[in-house]
Amino acid sequence: MYYLSFRWYIAHDSIRNEVDEFKSALDATIKRNEIPKDWEVASIQRWWRSHYDHIHSHHLNEDIKLNPFLRQRIVYPEKLEADHVVLVDHMKTIGNLVDGLSETGTSLVNLSSAWDDYMNMIKPHLLEEEYYGIPLMRAYFKEQEIGKIVAEIVGSKTAPREEMGAFIY
């Protein structure tokens, strides 16, 4: 069971790493105090689409596959799925800022501020899922039972490549 819950941590660690690495790159770009070049804007926009796809897929895995399975035996906190709605709403704001990046559009400073808010939402959310979800899963399910769900998630042909790539990274 520890191996399977370890995969949950790895999935969350991949998200935390993406969030931190983007913040670091964004800060370094802002520090230059220059308008981002077209290739930088295109790179940020491409990266954002990948991150969005990764998070969206991760939430679907939890909301459609894992959490309903866990609710067969436990009262899984509703707040954890409700947080997904708040996160996705804020991700739309970030998406609009990313789409607006240009010499005359959204500034990187505005994006950085929205990113800070995102970090302050997603990191505690991931910890909360680990604090509640993993111990409950370990207590009420056998490794073989959870293993089937994990295999379905990891083996999904519809998951975006970013999700598995981030997981491996």
Side-chain angles (χ1 to χ4, degrees):
M1 181 62 77
Y2 292 103
Y3 170 73
L4 296 173
S5 55
F6 181 64
R7 293 183 88 118
W8 199 341
Y9 285 116
I10 291 173
H12 283 183
D13 284 345
S14 73
I15 294 167
R16 280 186 277 264
N17 184 60
E18 282 183 15
V19 168
D20 289 341
E21 289 293 324
F22 184 74
K23 178 62 176 166
S24 176
L26 192 55
D27 287 348
T29 305
I30 290 169
K31 190 175 181 178
R32 284 193 345 238
N33 201 25
E34 297 175 5
I35 294 171
K37 296 171 182 54
D38 289 342
W39 71 265
E40 291 172 309
V41 169
S43 179
I44 290 168
Q45 290 169 337
R46 243 184 341 267
W47 183 89
W48 170 250
R49 283 189 296 275
S50 291
H51 179 73
Y52 181 88
D53 289 347
H54 177 194
I55 300 303
H56 182 67
S57 179
H58 179 79
H59 286 167
L60 286 177
N61 288 336
E62 291 177 342
D63 296 347
I64 294 173
K65 296 175 184 171
L66 184 61
N67 296 349
F69 182 77
L70 294 176
R71 283 194 177 101
Q72 292 176 13
R73 293 189 199 145
I74 61 175
V75 177
Y76 194 77
E78 293 288 333
K79 178 191 180 299
L80 298 179
E81 281 185 23
D83 284 351
H84 291 176
V85 174
V86 174
L87 282 164
V88 168
D89 188 50
H90 191 69
M91 289 173 74
K92 289 177 186 172
T93 299
I94 290 173
N96 290 334
L97 291 170
V98 167
D99 289 344
L101 283 175
S102 69
E103 290 185 23
T104 58
T106 303
S107 77
L108 292 175
V109 173
N110 293 342
L111 177 57
S112 181
S113 177
W115 196 259
D116 288 341
D117 293 341
Y118 178 59
M119 290 175 71
N120 290 329
M121 285 186 255
I122 198 163
K123 285 184 170 187
H125 168 73
L126 296 172
L127 288 173
E128 200 170 14
E129 284 184 342
E130 293 163 3
Y131 181 79
Y132 291 106
I134 291 173
L136 289 169
M137 177 184 72
R138 286 179 178 168
Y140 291 96
F141 293 90
K142 294 180 182 175
E143 184 172 356
Q144 299 83 351
E145 295 171 303
I146 295 296
K148 290 177 185 175
I149 299 297
V150 171
E152 183 181 325
I153 291 170
V154 173
S156 173
K157 302 275 191 233
T158 60
R161 64 179 187 233
E162 291 85 0
E163 186 174 20
M164 189 53 69
F167 186 81
I168 292 168
Y169 176 79

